[in-house]
Amino acid sequence: MKQLHKICFLIIGFIFVLGCNSKNEDKHETREFKESIYYTCSMDPQIKEDKPGKCPICHMDLTPAKKDNGAYNSISLSDQQIKLGNISTAFIGTSQQSQQGDYTGVLTVNPEGVKSISARAGGRIEKLYFKTEGDFIQKGQAIYQLYSEPIAIAKQDYVSAYSQLAMPGDFGKNAKTMVAAAKQKLLFYGLSNAQIEAVKKSKEVSPYTTFYSSYSGTISEITATEGSYVMEGAPIIKVANLNTLWLETQVNVNYAKSLRLGQTATISFVDFPSKSVQATISFINPEINPDTRLLLIQLEVANPGLLLKPGMQANVQVTQSNQKGIFVPIDAVVRDEKVTFIWVEKSHGVFENLKVTTGLESNGMIEITSTIDTNKKIVITGVYAVNSEYEFRKGKDPMAGMKM
């Protein structure tokens, strides 16, 4: 009888222990289930709560959603989500692309063709024959008239020396040296041979001298005024040769790496939509603009007939053929304020973000200059569907946990 009681007692104890374990397992499963879900609002997905309730923004009922417990920089998607998001992947390898860069620029005066007409001696500007910038000056046209005592004295010395040439003996011989010296001084002051010949024939030496242009061009600047006094060497008028203009534009520093001096570009103009010309790169600035990260380049543009004017806007098209590199569709790259990245397929339905650096961009493709594993597929369509789901689950911080 006692043996029977012991057996019954052991059976009851076993049932009690088994019941307790079952309850503990149920509690553990319930806790794991609760820890694996959170409550959010379908209208305001940024709201995430640990328990049911109302959305603090729109006051709708919060709905349960499953937490993604995978790696922070990865996300798992179901086949249905992949289909609805039109998400597709592909292997990307090294290829050759013809890259075309399109930029805008402005025509400017070529500084190499600018000439400055300066005062050859100190004096007063008695008359300016051109007073408007943009006027065209022909070679040999009168530019200004100068009242100058130094020039007047040099003229008088020349006339006096010339009058002594007919004197006999040493006076005549010395006069030849004096005439040559006086003429040289007048040439230094900018008088032409014809003007010097006119001086010795004149009965009275004039303190006024007219100066003529030595070249043709368009007036780009007038710095003197009638009645003003000028010092020797002071600029009076600047004349620009507009047969060749410069086109200044700024290009992305990544694109500029492959540009070279003498490279040809196609130029079209806003004011002449049907006109396009070929130009060559004549200057590449060695310094990058620290604010824009752009590089200034200048192209030399021929301007026969002077149809083009400084200040005109132009479009620059530079084509680089057969550029070798890793190119992906532009839509495959996500650009954030802090980082640029792509999505890589780790396994079926599992994607991770990968930080990249980019280079040339043209014709819907962009170059990846950083090292990537070409044995892995990257997301080429539906990228923003993947990214939106990632932000919905894990927040919008592309730097946190990102794979470098």
Side-chain angles (χ1 to χ4, degrees):
M1 190 69 179
K2 288 181 179 181
Q3 188 69 23
L4 181 61
H5 286 170
K6 287 182 180 181
I7 293 173
C8 291
F9 180 77
L10 290 173
I11 292 174
I12 294 172
F14 177 76
I15 294 173
F16 177 78
V17 171
L18 185 63
C20 288
N21 288 338
S22 178
K23 288 181 180 180
N24 288 336
E25 288 179 2
D26 290 341
K27 288 180 180 180
H28 180 69
E29 290 177 358
T30 302
R31 191 185 312 113
E32 283 187 346
F33 174 76
K34 288 182 178 180
E35 290 177 353
S36 66
I37 65 170
Y38 64 93
Y39 295 86
T40 185
C41 178
S42 58
M43 297 298 293
D44 302 286
Q46 70 272 24
I47 301 301
K48 297 179 180 180
E49 300 291 345
D50 295 331
K51 56 185 178 179
K54 300 285 186 180
C55 174
I57 299 176
C58 64
H59 305 293
M60 292 179 61
D61 289 334
L62 299 178
T63 57
K66 188 176 181 180
K67 294 181 180 178
D68 191 337
N69 295 320
Y72 195 90
N73 68 312
S74 66
I75 186 173
S76 298
L77 300 178
S78 65
D79 290 341
Q80 184 179 11
Q81 287 176 312
I82 293 174
K83 183 177 180 180
L84 292 175
N86 191 31
I87 299 167
S88 63
T89 60
F91 290 108
I92 301 296
T94 303
S95 62
Q96 289 184 334
Q97 294 282 336
S98 292
Q99 296 295 307
Q100 179 176 294
D102 295 304
Y103 307 96
T104 58
V106 177
L107 290 174
T108 63
V109 174
N110 183 349
E112 296 177 355
V114 176
K115 305 294 184 182
S116 180
I117 299 175
S118 305
R120 304 299 291 270
R124 183 181 70 243
I125 301 294
E126 194 67 23
K127 184 175 182 179
L128 280 175
Y129 292 93
F130 291 88
K131 300 178 182 179
T132 306
E133 293 180 2
D135 286 346
F136 187 82
I137 296 177
Q138 291 284 1
K139 182 179 180 179
Q141 280 190 289
I143 302 296
Y144 68 99
Q145 187 183 70
L146 183 71
Y147 173 86
S148 174
E149 292 183 2
I151 295 179
I153 293 172
K155 287 180 180 179
Q156 187 62 56
D157 291 342
Y158 180 73
V159 171
S160 298
Y162 184 77
S163 65
Q164 296 177 21
L165 286 175
M167 295 180 70
D170 292 337
F171 288 101
K173 293 180 180 179
N174 292 334
K176 290 181 180 180
T177 304
M178 293 172 61
V179 168
K183 183 177 181 180
Q184 189 63 38
K185 194 169 187 178
L186 291 175
L187 290 172
F188 172 78
Y189 281 139
L191 277 70
S192 64
N193 286 317
Q195 286 177 299
I196 295 173
E197 286 297 314
V199 167
K200 69 181 181 182
K201 294 178 181 179
S202 62
K203 296 180 180 180
E204 183 179 353
V205 175
S206 173
Y208 299 99
T209 304
T210 300
F211 291 89
Y212 302 85
S213 178
S214 302
Y215 28 75
S216 301
T218 302
I219 297 177
S220 61
E221 186 179 357
I222 300 175
T223 56
T225 57
E226 288 183 352
S228 63
Y229 282 84
V230 293
M231 300 293 289
E232 180 182 346
I236 296 174
I237 288 178
K238 290 185 178 180
V239 179
N241 183 351
L242 301 184
N243 291 320
T244 301
L245 297 176
W246 272 7
L247 176 61
E248 294 185 345
T249 185
Q250 294 185 330
V251 304
N252 184 286
V253 64
N254 291 322
Y255 191 84
K257 292 177 182 177
S258 53
L259 297 178
R260 65 184 187 279
L261 295 177
Q263 188 172 350
T264 304
T266 302
I267 313 297
S268 58
F269 304 93
V270 176
D271 298 297
F272 304 104
S274 60
K275 181 179 178 62
S276 62
V277 299
Q278 297 297 306
T280 56
I281 297 176
S282 57
F283 175 74
I284 300 176
N285 196 330
E287 296 184 7
I288 301 170
N289 187 318
D291 297 323
T292 62
R293 302 297 299 167
L294 297 177
L295 195 67
L296 173 70
I297 66 170
Q298 292 170 334
L299 300 97
E300 196 170 286
V301 182
N303 186 24
L306 306 183
L307 179 65
L308 305 175
K309 309 296 181 184
M312 281 185 174
Q313 288 188 333
N315 298 316
V316 184
Q317 189 177 89
V318 184
T319 302
Q320 301 181 58
S321 302
N322 300 324
Q323 295 296 310
K324 190 175 182 180
I326 297 176
F327 296 90
V328 302
I330 292 177
D331 290 341
V333 178
V334 181
R335 306 186 195 196
D336 191 88
E337 294 179 358
K338 300 178 181 179
V339 70
T340 300
F341 59 94
I342 59 175
W343 284 99
V344 178
E345 185 181 40
K346 293 178 63 178
S347 58
H348 179 72
V350 180
F351 306 92
E352 66 176 355
N353 50 30
L354 174 66
K355 180 183 176 182
V356 295
T357 55
T358 58
L360 304 180
E361 181 177 338
S362 181
N363 302 326
M365 304 294 286
I366 186 169
E367 181 186 15
I368 303 297
T369 57
S370 55
T371 302
I372 63 173
D373 188 352
T374 55
N375 294 319
K376 290 185 177 181
K377 293 182 178 180
I378 72 166
V379 178
I380 57 174
T381 64
V383 170
Y384 284 92
V386 179
N387 208 56
S388 296
E389 185 64 22
Y390 175 83
E391 292 178 1
F392 174 76
R393 296 185 191 179
K394 301 187 178 182
K396 189 176 182 179
D397 185 3
M399 294 296 290
M402 174 167 289
K403 185 174 181 180
M404 302 299 181

mmCIF file of all heavy atoms in Angstrom, residues 344-374:
data_model
loop_
_atom_site.group_PDB
_atom_site.id
_atom_site.type_symbol
_atom_site.label_atom_id
_atom_site.label_comp_id
_atom_site.label_asym_id
_atom_site.label_seq_id
_atom_site.Cartn_x
_atom_site.Cartn_y
_atom_site.Cartn_z
ATOM 1 N N VAL A 344 23.390 45.827 -52.716
ATOM 2 C CA VAL A 344 23.975 44.581 -53.218
ATOM 3 C C VAL A 344 23.151 43.402 -52.701
ATOM 4 O O VAL A 344 22.727 43.382 -51.543
ATOM 5 C CB VAL A 344 25.444 44.444 -52.752
ATOM 6 C CG1 VAL A 344 26.035 43.129 -53.239
ATOM 7 C CG2 VAL A 344 26.272 45.627 -53.249
ATOM 8 N N GLU A 345 22.915 42.415 -53.560
ATOM 9 C CA GLU A 345 22.158 41.221 -53.163
ATOM 10 C C GLU A 345 23.104 40.217 -52.510
ATOM 11 O O GLU A 345 23.997 39.673 -53.168
ATOM 12 C CB GLU A 345 21.473 40.609 -54.375
ATOM 13 C CG GLU A 345 20.565 39.438 -54.010
ATOM 14 C CD GLU A 345 19.896 38.820 -55.217
ATOM 15 O OE1 GLU A 345 20.576 38.699 -56.256
ATOM 16 O OE2 GLU A 345 18.710 38.462 -55.127
ATOM 17 N N LYS A 346 22.933 39.983 -51.193
ATOM 18 C CA LYS A 346 23.748 38.997 -50.473
ATOM 19 C C LYS A 346 23.290 37.581 -50.802
ATOM 20 O O LYS A 346 24.095 36.677 -51.010
ATOM 21 C CB LYS A 346 23.654 39.245 -48.973
ATOM 22 C CG LYS A 346 24.290 40.549 -48.512
ATOM 23 C CD LYS A 346 24.106 40.744 -47.020
ATOM 24 C CE LYS A 346 24.792 39.668 -46.209
ATOM 25 N NZ LYS A 346 24.625 39.907 -44.749
ATOM 26 N N SER A 347 21.985 37.373 -50.768
ATOM 27 C CA SER A 347 21.362 36.096 -51.105
ATOM 28 C C SER A 347 19.948 36.424 -51.556
ATOM 29 O O SER A 347 19.543 37.593 -51.566
ATOM 30 C CB SER A 347 21.361 35.151 -49.888
ATOM 31 O OG SER A 347 20.677 35.755 -48.803
ATOM 32 N N HIS A 348 19.201 35.397 -51.938
ATOM 33 C CA HIS A 348 17.865 35.659 -52.456
ATOM 34 C C HIS A 348 17.005 36.396 -51.412
ATOM 35 O O HIS A 348 16.788 35.891 -50.306
ATOM 36 C CB HIS A 348 17.174 34.351 -52.849
ATOM 37 C CG HIS A 348 15.784 34.565 -53.369
ATOM 38 N ND1 HIS A 348 15.538 35.126 -54.602
ATOM 39 C CD2 HIS A 348 14.565 34.311 -52.803
ATOM 40 C CE1 HIS A 348 14.233 35.208 -54.791
ATOM 41 N NE2 HIS A 348 13.611 34.722 -53.714
ATOM 42 N N GLY A 349 16.553 37.588 -51.791
ATOM 43 C CA GLY A 349 15.682 38.360 -50.914
ATOM 44 C C GLY A 349 16.403 39.145 -49.833
ATOM 45 O O GLY A 349 15.762 39.862 -49.064
ATOM 46 N N VAL A 350 17.730 39.044 -49.743
ATOM 47 C CA VAL A 350 18.495 39.758 -48.716
ATOM 48 C C VAL A 350 19.438 40.753 -49.414
ATOM 49 O O VAL A 350 20.234 40.359 -50.270
ATOM 50 C CB VAL A 350 19.305 38.793 -47.827
ATOM 51 C CG1 VAL A 350 20.087 39.584 -46.773
ATOM 52 C CG2 VAL A 350 18.374 37.785 -47.164
ATOM 53 N N PHE A 351 19.329 42.023 -49.028
ATOM 54 C CA PHE A 351 20.105 43.079 -49.667
ATOM 55 C C PHE A 351 20.852 43.888 -48.599
ATOM 56 O O PHE A 351 20.355 44.079 -47.490
ATOM 57 C CB PHE A 351 19.190 44.014 -50.463
ATOM 58 C CG PHE A 351 18.311 43.302 -51.448
ATOM 59 C CD1 PHE A 351 17.027 42.885 -51.080
ATOM 60 C CD2 PHE A 351 18.754 43.021 -52.721
ATOM 61 C CE1 PHE A 351 16.211 42.218 -51.976
ATOM 62 C CE2 PHE A 351 17.945 42.350 -53.626
ATOM 63 C CZ PHE A 351 16.672 41.951 -53.262
ATOM 64 N N GLU A 352 22.042 44.367 -48.956
ATOM 65 C CA GLU A 352 22.812 45.214 -48.051
ATOM 66 C C GLU A 352 23.302 46.439 -48.809
ATOM 67 O O GLU A 352 23.564 46.382 -50.018
ATOM 68 C CB GLU A 352 24.007 44.452 -47.468
ATOM 69 C CG GLU A 352 25.052 44.061 -48.484
ATOM 70 C CD GLU A 352 26.258 43.387 -47.847
ATOM 71 O OE1 GLU A 352 26.297 43.317 -46.606
ATOM 72 O OE2 GLU A 352 27.148 42.938 -48.593
ATOM 73 N N ASN A 353 23.398 47.584 -48.067
ATOM 74 C CA ASN A 353 23.877 48.799 -48.724
ATOM 75 C C ASN A 353 25.398 48.873 -48.656
ATOM 76 O O ASN A 353 26.028 48.414 -47.715
ATOM 77 C CB ASN A 353 23.248 50.061 -48.119
ATOM 78 C CG ASN A 353 23.342 50.088 -46.604
ATOM 79 O OD1 ASN A 353 24.275 49.545 -46.022
ATOM 80 N ND2 ASN A 353 22.376 50.726 -45.957
ATOM 81 N N LEU A 354 25.988 49.439 -49.706
ATOM 82 C CA LEU A 354 27.435 49.507 -49.843
ATOM 83 C C LEU A 354 27.822 50.914 -50.276
ATOM 84 O O LEU A 354 27.374 51.403 -51.317
ATOM 85 C CB LEU A 354 27.922 48.485 -50.882
ATOM 86 C CG LEU A 354 29.417 48.526 -51.235
ATOM 87 C CD1 LEU A 354 30.257 48.130 -50.027
ATOM 88 C CD2 LEU A 354 29.706 47.611 -52.426
ATOM 89 N N LYS A 355 28.662 51.565 -49.469
ATOM 90 C CA LYS A 355 29.113 52.916 -49.795
ATOM 91 C C LYS A 355 30.027 52.876 -51.009
ATOM 92 O O LYS A 355 30.909 52.030 -51.116
ATOM 93 C CB LYS A 355 29.861 53.523 -48.604
ATOM 94 C CG LYS A 355 30.372 54.929 -48.849
ATOM 95 C CD LYS A 355 31.155 55.442 -47.655
ATOM 96 C CE LYS A 355 31.746 56.818 -47.951
ATOM 97 N NZ LYS A 355 32.555 57.333 -46.809
ATOM 98 N N VAL A 356 29.828 53.834 -51.948
ATOM 99 C CA VAL A 356 30.650 53.898 -53.156
ATOM 100 C C VAL A 356 31.027 55.346 -53.439
ATOM 101 O O VAL A 356 30.414 56.275 -52.928
ATOM 102 C CB VAL A 356 29.912 53.309 -54.382
ATOM 103 C CG1 VAL A 356 29.656 51.832 -54.213
ATOM 104 C CG2 VAL A 356 28.602 54.065 -54.641
ATOM 105 N N THR A 357 32.054 55.511 -54.260
ATOM 106 C CA THR A 357 32.385 56.818 -54.815
ATOM 107 C C THR A 357 32.155 56.758 -56.311
ATOM 108 O O THR A 357 32.358 55.709 -56.944
ATOM 109 C CB THR A 357 33.850 57.202 -54.526
ATOM 110 O OG1 THR A 357 34.718 56.164 -55.024
ATOM 111 C CG2 THR A 357 34.085 57.378 -53.040
ATOM 112 N N THR A 358 31.714 57.873 -56.879
ATOM 113 C CA THR A 358 31.315 57.895 -58.281
ATOM 114 C C THR A 358 32.209 58.820 -59.089
ATOM 115 O O THR A 358 32.887 59.694 -58.549
ATOM 116 C CB THR A 358 29.849 58.343 -58.417
ATOM 117 O OG1 THR A 358 29.698 59.637 -57.823
ATOM 118 C CG2 THR A 358 28.924 57.358 -57.723
ATOM 119 N N GLY A 359 32.175 58.624 -60.414
ATOM 120 C CA GLY A 359 32.991 59.436 -61.311
ATOM 121 C C GLY A 359 32.185 59.993 -62.451
ATOM 122 O O GLY A 359 31.217 60.725 -62.250
ATOM 123 N N LEU A 360 32.556 59.618 -63.684
ATOM 124 C CA LEU A 360 31.908 60.154 -64.873
ATOM 125 C C LEU A 360 30.433 59.780 -64.899
ATOM 126 O O LEU A 360 30.027 58.714 -64.455
ATOM 127 C CB LEU A 360 32.591 59.621 -66.131
ATOM 128 C CG LEU A 360 34.098 59.879 -66.257
ATOM 129 C CD1 LEU A 360 34.617 59.290 -67.551
ATOM 130 C CD2 LEU A 360 34.391 61.361 -66.198
ATOM 131 N N GLU A 361 29.643 60.682 -65.463
ATOM 132 C CA GLU A 361 28.198 60.475 -65.531
ATOM 133 C C GLU A 361 27.699 60.959 -66.882
ATOM 134 O O GLU A 361 27.897 62.123 -67.253
ATOM 135 C CB GLU A 361 27.514 61.240 -64.399
ATOM 136 C CG GLU A 361 26.012 61.089 -64.361
ATOM 137 C CD GLU A 361 25.402 61.812 -63.176
ATOM 138 O OE1 GLU A 361 26.119 62.058 -62.184
ATOM 139 O OE2 GLU A 361 24.196 62.136 -63.237
ATOM 140 N N SER A 362 27.071 60.088 -67.646
ATOM 141 C CA SER A 362 26.573 60.462 -68.961
ATOM 142 C C SER A 362 25.701 59.355 -69.517
ATOM 143 O O SER A 362 25.881 58.176 -69.208
ATOM 144 C CB SER A 362 27.745 60.737 -69.916
ATOM 145 O OG SER A 362 27.284 61.123 -71.193
ATOM 146 N N ASN A 363 24.749 59.773 -70.369
ATOM 147 C CA ASN A 363 23.886 58.830 -71.088
ATOM 148 C C ASN A 363 23.195 57.838 -70.161
ATOM 149 O O ASN A 363 23.042 56.668 -70.475
ATOM 150 C CB ASN A 363 24.696 58.062 -72.141
ATOM 151 C CG ASN A 363 25.353 58.995 -73.143
ATOM 152 O OD1 ASN A 363 24.799 60.033 -73.493
ATOM 153 N ND2 ASN A 363 26.537 58.631 -73.602
ATOM 154 N N GLY A 364 22.791 58.306 -68.981
ATOM 155 C CA GLY A 364 22.063 57.454 -68.053
ATOM 156 C C GLY A 364 22.914 56.499 -67.264
ATOM 157 O O GLY A 364 22.382 55.671 -66.512
ATOM 158 N N MET A 365 24.252 56.562 -67.408
ATOM 159 C CA MET A 365 25.161 55.684 -66.686
ATOM 160 C C MET A 365 26.101 56.519 -65.826
ATOM 161 O O MET A 365 26.391 57.675 -66.128
ATOM 162 C CB MET A 365 25.976 54.830 -67.670
ATOM 163 C CG MET A 365 25.144 54.000 -68.633
ATOM 164 S SD MET A 365 24.181 52.699 -67.814
ATOM 165 C CE MET A 365 25.505 51.530 -67.435
ATOM 166 N N ILE A 366 26.581 55.907 -64.739
ATOM 167 C CA ILE A 366 27.502 56.587 -63.842
ATOM 168 C C ILE A 366 28.628 55.623 -63.479
ATOM 169 O O ILE A 366 28.400 54.418 -63.310
ATOM 170 C CB ILE A 366 26.780 57.106 -62.579
ATOM 171 C CG1 ILE A 366 27.734 57.940 -61.726
ATOM 172 C CG2 ILE A 366 26.191 55.973 -61.766
ATOM 173 C CD1 ILE A 366 27.020 58.691 -60.623
ATOM 174 N N GLU A 367 29.839 56.139 -63.388
ATOM 175 C CA GLU A 367 31.004 55.304 -63.107
ATOM 176 C C GLU A 367 31.167 55.099 -61.602
ATOM 177 O O GLU A 367 31.015 56.044 -60.818
ATOM 178 C CB GLU A 367 32.260 55.971 -63.672
ATOM 179 C CG GLU A 367 33.531 55.165 -63.461
ATOM 180 C CD GLU A 367 34.775 55.918 -63.897
ATOM 181 O OE1 GLU A 367 34.688 57.154 -64.088
ATOM 182 O OE2 GLU A 367 35.827 55.274 -64.038
ATOM 183 N N ILE A 368 31.466 53.877 -61.204
ATOM 184 C CA ILE A 368 31.813 53.561 -59.822
ATOM 185 C C ILE A 368 33.336 53.482 -59.741
ATOM 186 O O ILE A 368 33.960 52.604 -60.342
ATOM 187 C CB ILE A 368 31.191 52.220 -59.371
ATOM 188 C CG1 ILE A 368 29.670 52.249 -59.537
ATOM 189 C CG2 ILE A 368 31.566 51.932 -57.917
ATOM 190 C CD1 ILE A 368 28.966 53.281 -58.699
ATOM 191 N N THR A 369 33.939 54.422 -59.026
ATOM 192 C CA THR A 369 35.402 54.479 -58.952
ATOM 193 C C THR A 369 35.964 53.710 -57.753
ATOM 194 O O THR A 369 37.153 53.414 -57.728
ATOM 195 C CB THR A 369 35.875 55.940 -58.883
ATOM 196 O OG1 THR A 369 35.258 56.591 -57.750
ATOM 197 C CG2 THR A 369 35.472 56.695 -60.142
ATOM 198 N N SER A 370 35.124 53.408 -56.774
ATOM 199 C CA SER A 370 35.594 52.625 -55.636
ATOM 200 C C SER A 370 35.524 51.134 -55.971
ATOM 201 O O SER A 370 34.879 50.720 -56.938
ATOM 202 C CB SER A 370 34.743 52.930 -54.392
ATOM 203 O OG SER A 370 33.367 52.720 -54.669
ATOM 204 N N THR A 371 36.194 50.321 -55.165
ATOM 205 C CA THR A 371 36.274 48.879 -55.426
ATOM 206 C C THR A 371 34.977 48.192 -55.005
ATOM 207 O O THR A 371 34.495 48.381 -53.888
ATOM 208 C CB THR A 371 37.450 48.264 -54.652
ATOM 209 O OG1 THR A 371 38.650 48.921 -55.044
ATOM 210 C CG2 THR A 371 37.573 46.784 -54.953
ATOM 211 N N ILE A 372 34.410 47.409 -55.903
ATOM 212 C CA ILE A 372 33.223 46.607 -55.569
ATOM 213 C C ILE A 372 33.446 45.186 -56.073
ATOM 214 O O ILE A 372 34.246 44.947 -56.988
ATOM 215 C CB ILE A 372 31.921 47.192 -56.168
ATOM 216 C CG1 ILE A 372 31.976 47.183 -57.705
ATOM 217 C CG2 ILE A 372 31.663 48.597 -55.670
ATOM 218 C CD1 ILE A 372 30.658 47.596 -58.339
ATOM 219 N N ASP A 373 32.728 44.237 -55.460
ATOM 220 C CA ASP A 373 32.834 42.830 -55.827
ATOM 221 C C ASP A 373 31.966 42.575 -57.053
ATOM 222 O O ASP A 373 30.733 42.593 -56.968
ATOM 223 C CB ASP A 373 32.381 41.957 -54.650
ATOM 224 C CG ASP A 373 32.647 40.473 -54.907
ATOM 225 O OD1 ASP A 373 33.039 40.123 -56.038
ATOM 226 O OD2 ASP A 373 32.454 39.677 -53.970
ATOM 227 N N THR A 374 32.601 42.360 -58.200
ATOM 228 C CA THR A 374 31.833 42.157 -59.436
ATOM 229 C C THR A 374 31.192 40.774 -59.496
ATOM 230 O O THR A 374 30.458 40.471 -60.446
ATOM 231 C CB THR A 374 32.755 42.353 -60.662
ATOM 232 O OG1 THR A 374 33.891 41.498 -60.558
ATOM 233 C CG2 THR A 374 33.225 43.798 -60.748
#
